[in-house]
Amino acid sequence: MADTVTPHGQEPIRFETHPSRYKHWKLAVDGAVARLSMDIDEDGGLRPGYPLKLNSYDLGVDIELADAIQRLRFEHPAVKTLVVQSGKDRVFCSGANIYMLGMSTHPFKVNFCKYTNETRLGLEELSAEGGVKTLCAVNGPCAGGGYELALACDEIYLSDDGSSAVSLPEVPLLAVLPGTGGLTRLVDKRKVRRDLADVFCTLAEGIRGPRAAQWNLVDKVVPRSKFVATVDAHVQTLVAQSTRVSDWEGLVLEPLGATYRSDGADYRHVTLQIDQAAHVARITVRAPTTDTPTGATALREQGNALWALRAFRELDDALLNLRFNHETIGLLLLETEGDPAKVLSSDAAMFASRDDGFVHEVLLFQRRVLKRLDQSARSIFAFVREGSCFVGSLFELSLAADRTYHRDDPDAESPATVQLSALNGGAFLMSNGLSRLQTRFLHDPERPAKLLAECSIYDARAAEKVGLVTLAPDAIDWDDEVRLAIEERASISPDALTGMEASLRYAGPETLETKIFGRLSAWQNWIFTRPNSTGPRGALTMYGQPERPEFDWRRT
Amino acid sequence: MSSIATNEKIPNNVDLTSDKRLQRALEEWQPRFVDWWKEMGPEGFQEDQIYLRTAVSVSPDGWAHFDYVKMPDYRWGIFLTDPIKDRTIGFGDHYGKPVWQQIPGEHRNALRRLIVTQGDTEPASVEQQRLLGLTCPSLYDLRNLFQVNVEEGRHLWAMVYLLHTYFGRDGREEADGLLDRRSGADDKPRILGAFNEPCQDWLSFFMFTYFTDRDGKYQLLALSESSFDPLARTTRFMLTEEAHHMFVGETGVLRVLDRTCELMAQDPNQDARAQGGIDLPTIQRYLNRWYSVSLDLFGGEVSSNAANFFAGGLKGRAKEDRYEDHIALDQTMTLTMVKDGRLVDEAVPMRNAMNEVLRGEYIEDSQRGVDKWNRLLAERGVNFALTLPSSRFHRQSGIYAGIHFDPAGKIITEAEFNAHKNEWLPSPEDEAYVKSLMTKPVFEPGKMANWIAPPKHGIKGRPIEFEYVKRSE
């Protein structure tokens, strides 16, 4: 049965798109410079009921943005600088559409914020790891999510025309928080003084002109008549500063051609299977069927068919499908299938060519997909059993899981084993800046290097002993153990589990990323459900209504 | 006592001499204002003696003191109408409570924005009109232009007084900003679009003072209902001056029409242009342009800002006490919206439609002058009537922007609009023709340019031949 409606009765959201189908952005590439112009189609919202006025956005706009950034990485290696700008005359971007937020369910709001955060972090990674400099050219009012998009760029230029301003009006106007890391980036990234940030974040109309630069809310304020020329000149400086490796042909990303079913989706290397009644989903990732050739040239030639790229693109799509179209699925079971040697062959080839421009981008992409998995507000269990291939890059799935069950069955024809590859050593850093192995063994910082050096094959008991898996039930207990674990998990409050898992997953240091997601799932989640914002008289509910909000004045 | 902020130099009824804060602010701002006036005020007449009205007090004999003065020496004053004892809030969520003598923190930013937006239009119009004196049709009109200009300057002072007195450092910076922006400048344009279009000829000036200054009147009427009492009292006094500006516009257009009828009668083909006058269709096109531009100034038809301003008691309806329900929560207003290319009526919560309420009053008021003009045409036996176009015609903001309408308000295609554009709006040829009539100023007392009739009366009982402007050369 084709998947035409979600279990919640809405048309499912799809995450694949293409510049030829963009409604809201224009991507123009000219040599080393790319320009992304936001020109939002008012009537092009993902759902009916909220015109996207004044360049305000919804999830559909951000899906296009994420696609554009992804294509810049793979299809346009010559690009060394990205300019984010408005395609409209008198407005840059007025942020997430307030009426869209007002109409959305709580889970959607949070998932929307999470996705837009992932996109903005991807923009920052494009600069930090991809070497593409980013400049936001703000010509017009730039409010809320609009300013948060600007904050995700390396530099912000603001036109000084008497009306262009940057602002975060969420607190004074809507009684919620900026949902895309705005508060954190203000003080942590741009290092705006916290007292000035306090003034800024309570001033709905924002700050314009020279003061915006004095407070470091933007990098430069330029008179309107000189704005375009100044931006253009600076773009050339940024091109010269870029460290991007551009000596490779771009790869045009092909559509995945997935088959979506009402209870899942089928891809070449990935299957998503939903059990709606049990609130459980199963994602199976299959190993490559052949060895991966070595050498950058051979890997580039594989192109769209390269397993490391293709399988992770499919996994990414499956995770997003699960998040947005299957809200009530609380438990995600991760499985793998295939020949572990083929996965290790892929890992070895990728690791050997990691400095190649194209391979570098694929590794970064895998890293982002694994982060997306970490960020998924679902309980995650991994099952290692006969026929699985939790090794190297696929063992990261197990490390990302809240628990791993490894079937202890020495009598099986080929008992399940796990194994590390060089890629587990730091190719796939988590949001906390550590590898998943390092995060796993915070109590024994020497152990990751030791395990990587040993390069052993671990059966269930060995894996349990060195701490690579959680539990190793034997063949007799396995079915009961697994059934009970799933049923037990599915019975616990989803809210409490989300909070608990998010707290436990990010042991170790705080980074900008962990702060942003932590504060999103704690403060913003809480504020979104409080009467002061979304109650019948809350500010978000009352926005645009003739009546004014009423607040419960008790501080929490 | 400071050298600038004296009662002698700045007539006022706000006890300036004992207000240290205001004195300090004006010490810095007043010289910058005079510099601005010299740079951006009327070009070429700063040394001339102009017969101007100056307000020296709010008493009936004080607000209209007439004498010759050089414009840079004009005494811009600060006046508020006398307070109403125990005035209470007349509308919105705070209805019936005492009005505010200080700004509540909650409304500080919104009030500042309202005041700055209103204040910005005052110097903007002076800038728009700064070259008009060079082509004046008579000394009488030249003097009226300058009277309008100095009073717009005084209205700027009125808003600056509020910014200086009630908004602290932010207010002082905003007051400086009002002198920094320039009408039509690329880098620092004035806030509202209509105030960045130059007013290049006298027909436009009369249309501007009739239509655009009338928007000013309605904005001031709405602000004069404000719960913030100093704003209400300031704007009430400004309204007395605004009335003169609309008089200049109404009688100006009337005199143009009068002369056009005369010239048509003289011409064998009834062709006013052949006789060096302005033909009626051109006048209608100018009316269409300035009326539609002025309608934009009222803001969006459906506006959450308007709802907030009303709910908060910041900006009411014109003459709020004529309404019965001052809370306006359970009412709706029916607006004609465009849905899928068709016009449909839709009910909108009344508070969100407050801009439209004000616009409706404005339209009614605008019609009165048009009726007067048409009575004149009828008296002269000319078979032509001027009409106000539909409020959907030629709009650049609000729900009708981006869609094409004919003057009757019917939806048409862009191609249809472009095909008729020069029938509905001044064409470049119209503009060139109107300007060609106004290449040289008329400085001889009592003389009028060929395209305009003399006024019925002079100023303050003076004859029409009176030397309203004494040229310095």
Side-chain angles (χ1 to χ4, degrees):
Chain A
M1 189 176 111
D3 180 12
T4 52
V5 287
T6 66
H8 318 290
Q10 287 183 307
E11 198 182 316
I13 298 169
R14 294 289 172 242
F15 294 86
E16 279 197 272
T17 184
H18 184 272
S20 64
R21 301 205 300 274
Y22 289 177
K23 291 179 185 171
H24 310 295
W25 292 92
K26 285 184 190 67
L27 175 60
V29 175
D30 181 10
V33 181
R35 286 173 190 272
L36 250 177
S37 304
M38 188 184 229
D39 187 6
I40 291 176
D41 172 8
E42 241 182 72
D43 305 317
L46 206 52
R47 305 262 190 244
Y50 52 83
L52 296 173
K53 294 198 171 165
L54 295 170
N55 260 4
S56 60
Y57 61 85
D58 70 352
L59 181 65
V61 176
D62 225 66
I63 289 172
E64 290 181 7
L65 173 62
D67 183 76
I69 296 170
Q70 179 81 327
R71 287 180 196 276
L72 277 179
R73 289 165 171 275
F74 284 101
E75 301 185 2
H76 305 285
V79 167
K80 290 171 179 283
T81 296
L82 167 65
V83 183
V84 179
Q85 58 191 32
S86 167
K88 288 195 165 44
D89 268 350
R90 272 181 274 179
V91 63
F92 176 77
C93 168
S94 54
N97 187 278
I98 297 168
Y99 300 102
M100 177 276 295
L101 286 175
M103 285 164 58
S104 298
T105 64
H106 175 68
F108 180 87
K109 279 203 281 278
V110 176
N111 272 321
F112 167 72
C113 290
K114 197 174 271 184
Y115 183 86
T116 56
N117 269 305
E118 288 166 335
T119 309
R120 275 137 201 77
L121 287 164
L123 193 55
E124 288 180 322
E125 192 211 52
L126 178 71
S127 165
E129 306 282 339
V132 178
K133 295 284 171 186
T134 54
L135 172 67
C136 193
V138 180
N139 56 328
C142 172
Y147 181 49
E148 292 179 295
L149 176 60
L151 284 169
C153 294
D154 293 334
E155 294 183 48
I156 307 171
Y157 276 29
L158 176 68
S159 171
D160 185 15
D161 54 12
S163 71
S164 293
V166 295
S167 64
L168 291 176
E170 285 87 346
V171 169
L173 211 56
L174 306 171
V176 298
L177 302 183
T180 328
L183 299 178
T184 305
R185 282 201 182 83
L186 213 52
V187 287
D188 269 48
K189 180 182 181 181
R190 294 200 63 94
K191 305 198 172 13
V192 173
R193 269 169 44 190
R194 61 160 275 211
D195 55 339
L196 300 179
D198 181 277
V199 175
F200 174 65
C201 298
T202 50
L203 191 61
E205 68 188 50
I207 304 256
R208 58 187 143 82
R211 185 177 291 168
Q214 281 158 22
W215 288 15
N216 203 36
L217 300 167
V218 303
D219 293 279
K220 199 166 182 139
V221 173
V222 187
R224 182 162 77 167
S225 59
K226 301 193 184 77
F227 189 68
V228 172
T230 308
V231 167
D232 288 350
H234 190 57
V235 163
Q236 295 313 317
T237 314
L238 292 177
V239 167
Q241 288 171 6
S242 164
T243 56
R244 187 166 200 199
V245 181
S246 296
D247 64 343
W248 54 289
E249 289 282 318
L251 168 71
V252 177
L253 294 171
E254 288 171 2
L256 293 175
T259 307
Y260 296 106
R261 297 175 272 111
S262 62
D263 61 347
D266 298 307
Y267 308 81
R268 188 182 301 170
H269 304 293
V270 173
T271 301
L272 168 69
Q273 188 61 46
I274 306 276
D275 181 346
Q276 189 62 46
H279 307 298
V280 171
R282 191 180 298 266
I283 286 180
T284 306
V285 183
R286 289 177 288 278
T289 50
T290 57
D291 280 330
T292 303
T294 52
T297 314
L299 291 171
R300 287 184 212 166
E301 273 169 14
Q302 297 246 312
N304 276 289
L306 183 72
W307 176 83
L309 176 60
R310 172 95 196 184
F312 277 73
R313 281 181 71 199
E314 294 174 353
L315 175 60
D316 200 38
D317 193 69
L319 288 172
L320 290 171
N321 186 7
L322 179 64
R323 266 196 205 169
F324 280 94
N325 299 324
H326 301 279
E327 283 177 353
T328 57
I329 302 302
L331 177 56
L332 169 60
L333 309 179
L334 292 175
E335 308 235 28
T336 54
E337 271 175 24
D339 180 357
K342 300 290 189 289
V343 178
L344 293 172
S345 154
S346 168
D347 282 11
M350 296 293 290
F351 184 73
S353 297
R354 62 190 179 280
D355 293 330
D356 173 69
F358 168 68
V359 174
H360 180 62
E361 282 298 348
V362 177
L363 288 168
L364 288 175
F365 174 62
Q366 290 177 295
R367 182 168 99 169
R368 293 197 297 280
V369 177
L370 289 164
K371 282 185 185 177
R372 179 108 74 197
L373 177 61
D374 292 333
Q375 289 300 348
S376 295
R378 314 297 161 108
S379 299
I380 306 171
F381 290 175
F383 291 128
V384 186
R385 53 183 152 192
E386 193 177 1
S388 72
C389 52
F390 280 103
V391 298
S393 49
L394 289 188
F395 189 67
E396 290 289 323
L397 301 180
S398 155
L399 289 169
D402 298 304
R403 300 180 192 179
T404 300
Y405 288 82
H406 192 160
R407 182 170 163 124
D408 175 23
D409 188 5
D411 301 329
E413 201 175 310
S414 60
T417 57
V418 299
Q419 193 179 346
L420 302 178
S421 78
L423 292 183
N424 299 113
F428 309 128
L429 298 183
M430 298 173 59
S431 294
N432 60 10
L434 303 181
S435 70
R436 285 182 186 73
L437 273 183
Q438 286 172 314
T439 308
R440 166 70 55 105
F441 298 119
L442 271 182
H443 63 287
D444 184 2
E446 311 296 322
R447 199 180 304 178
K450 219 157 64 189
L451 295 176
L452 283 164
E454 280 171 10
C455 202
S456 305
I457 298 172
Y458 304 95
D459 64 15
R461 286 183 203 178
E464 187 184 21
K465 189 160 172 245
V466 296
L468 287 175
V469 301
T470 318
L471 292 158
D474 64 24
I476 298 164
D477 292 336
W478 176 263
D479 286 348
D480 271 347
E481 283 282 355
V482 166
R483 180 183 62 80
L484 284 170
I486 292 171
E487 286 180 10
E488 179 194 54
R489 195 67 166 199
S491 72
I492 300 177
S493 154
D495 297 335
L497 285 175
T498 295
M500 180 195 81
E501 290 153 3
S503 303
L504 300 180
R505 283 179 195 174
Y506 298 99
E510 283 277 20
T511 63
L512 189 79
E513 266 183 69
T514 61
K515 284 184 189 176
I516 285 171
F517 284 116
R519 290 164 185 178
L520 174 70
S521 45
W523 286 114
Q524 181 71 299
N525 259 357
W526 176 71
I527 291 167
F528 263 155
T529 54
R530 292 275 298 165
N532 285 342
S533 64
T534 50
R537 306 284 307 174
L540 196 58
T541 315
M542 300 305 292
Y543 184 80
Q545 303 293 315
E547 289 170 85
R548 294 158 51 73
E550 284 171 14
F551 295 137
D552 173 351
W553 294 108
R554 287 173 298 179
R555 278 269 185 158
T556 305
Chain B
M1 174 76 66
S2 63
S3 56
I4 285 165
T6 62
N7 289 340
E8 179 52 32
K9 288 191 169 170
I10 305 175
N12 70 87
N13 67 346
V14 295
D15 199 7
L16 174 61
T17 49
S18 60
D19 187 339
K20 285 271 177 294
R21 175 156 66 172
L22 185 57
Q23 279 178 26
R24 184 188 65 171
L26 286 178
E27 295 276 310
E28 289 195 18
W29 190 81
Q30 195 270 355
R32 295 200 54 209
F33 170 80
V34 173
D35 287 347
W36 168 81
W37 182 271
K38 286 178 179 162
E39 185 197 332
M40 295 309 296
E43 172 85 17
F45 300 91
Q46 304 275 359
E47 292 304 311
D48 295 355
Q49 296 283 344
I50 327 280
Y51 188 68
L52 289 175
R53 180 183 63 200
T54 307
V56 292
S57 81
V58 289
S59 61
D61 55 336
W63 81 278
H65 173 83
F66 284 82
D67 204 351
Y68 281 106
V69 62
K70 282 192 202 174
M71 283 188 280
D73 300 334
Y74 187 81
R75 292 186 299 152
W76 284 283
I78 302 169
F79 294 104
L80 282 63
T81 50
D82 289 331
I84 298 166
K85 197 168 177 287
D86 300 326
R87 181 175 167 239
T88 56
I89 294 173
F91 62 94
D93 292 344
H94 309 295
Y95 178 72
K97 296 191 181 135
V99 293
W100 316 316
Q101 298 306 330
Q102 290 293 332
I103 291 169
E106 183 190 359
H107 299 306
R108 182 189 148 131
N109 290 326
L111 274 169
R112 191 183 56 198
R113 195 164 57 171
L114 278 173
I115 290 168
V116 168
T117 307
Q118 176 65 38
D120 195 61
T121 64
E122 315 290 0
S125 65
V126 175
E127 292 166 358
Q128 287 172 295
Q129 297 160 10
R130 62 189 296 268
L131 297 177
L132 282 177
L134 304 173
T135 60
C136 64
S138 72
L139 284 186
Y140 167 89
D141 289 291
L142 185 62
R143 176 266 164 205
N144 278 350
L145 168 69
F146 295 152
Q147 183 71 51
V148 169
N149 288 163
V150 292
E151 282 173 356
E152 299 295 2
R154 206 204 67 73
H155 290 182
L156 169 62
W157 276 69
M159 293 295 112
V160 165
Y161 159 73
L162 295 174
L163 290 169
H164 279 167
T165 307
Y166 297 99
F167 291 90
R169 195 184 78 169
D170 284 354
R172 291 196 293 278
E173 286 177 2
E174 292 287 5
D176 288 346
L178 292 171
L179 297 178
D180 289 338
R181 287 184 286 273
R182 291 283 182 275
S183 176
D186 265 353
D187 284 344
K188 302 238 165 172
R190 292 291 171 184
I191 296 170
L192 298 173
F195 287 91
N196 287 304
E197 302 293 330
C199 187
Q200 291 175 330
D201 60 72
W202 280 79
L203 183 57
S204 293
F205 173 66
F206 293 137
M207 292 293 177
F208 181 97
T209 42
Y210 186 77
F211 287 112
T212 310
D213 277 330
R214 191 172 307 275
D215 157 72
K217 169 186 167 183
Y218 276 84
Q219 298 303 329
L220 294 176
L221 279 171
L223 292 174
S224 70
E225 300 290 334
S226 181
S227 311
F228 178 43
D229 204 38
L231 174 61
R233 292 172 54 208
T234 303
T235 45
R236 273 172 208 193
F237 189 76
M238 289 162 75
L239 279 163
T240 59
E241 291 158 325
E242 204 72 34
H244 171 258
H245 305 182
M246 284 171 293
F247 164 82
V248 169
E250 185 177 316
T251 55
V253 174
L254 194 75
R255 288 164 51 214
V256 174
L257 291 169
D258 198 3
R259 181 62 179 159
T260 298
C261 292
E262 218 173 327
L263 292 170
M264 283 168 73
Q266 288 170 18
D267 190 81
N269 302 317
Q270 299 251 308
D271 182 353
R273 276 205 194 193
Q275 299 296 322
I278 307 175
D279 54 293
L280 296 170
T282 299
I283 295 173
Q284 175 71 57
R285 287 193 280 274
Y286 271 67
L287 179 157
N288 289 352
R289 173 198 277 166
W290 286 98
Y291 175 66
S292 57
V293 161
S294 305
L295 288 176
D296 278 338
L297 295 171
F298 286 84
E301 282 76 4
V302 186
S303 164
S304 52
N305 273 340
N308 287 338
F309 292 159
F310 188 88
L314 311 184
K315 182 179 173 187
R317 288 170 288 196
K319 299 172 190 151
E320 181 65 40
D321 51 7
R322 289 176 312 155
Y323 292 88
E324 276 182 16
D325 174 5
H326 300 293
I327 312 296
L329 252 187
D330 306 319
Q331 300 171 308
T332 58
M333 182 170 187
T334 303
L335 295 185
T336 305
M337 313 279 237
V338 181
K339 284 269 152 73
D340 302 321
R342 291 181 29 242
L343 294 173
V344 285
D345 284 350
E346 220 169 271
V348 172
M350 182 61 82
R351 284 185 175 186
N352 294 60
M354 283 303 170
N355 288 339
E356 191 58 15
V357 172
L358 202 59
R359 190 168 10 236
E361 303 247 0
Y362 165 85
I363 291 171
E364 222 173 275
D365 195 34
S366 295
Q367 183 64 45
R368 277 195 270 276
V370 176
D371 292 344
K372 260 190 218 170
W373 300 336
N374 285 335
R375 275 202 294 278
L376 174 89
L377 293 176
E379 278 167 26
R380 295 283 188 274
V382 172
N383 187 23
F384 188 98
L386 293 164
T387 51
L388 293 177
S390 159
S391 62
R392 297 191 281 275
F393 174 74
H394 190 235
R395 293 287 302 280
Q396 309 301 311
S397 72
I399 55 178
Y400 305 122
I403 306 165
H404 297 282
F405 296 91
D406 68 11
K410 189 176 142 247
I411 299 184
I412 55 174
T413 65
E414 187 176 359
E416 286 173 295
F417 181 83
N418 286 331
H420 294 281
K421 199 174 157 189
N422 288 344
E423 294 162 36
W424 296 337
L425 293 166
S427 66
E429 291 74 32
D430 289 338
E431 290 178 355
Y433 175 69
V434 170
K435 269 201 218 164
S436 75
L437 301 178
M438 305 171 190
T439 50
K440 270 188 263 161
V442 177
F443 287 148
E444 197 182 316
K447 262 208 89 169
M448 297 289 140
N450 180 54
W451 51 269
I452 190 166
K456 282 217 163 61
H457 312 287
I459 309 284
K460 184 73 177 169
R462 306 279 176 182
I464 294 166
E465 303 77 36
F466 185 72
E467 192 175 10
Y468 290 103
V469 177
K470 284 187 184 162
R471 303 279 293 138
S472 60
E473 315 105 331

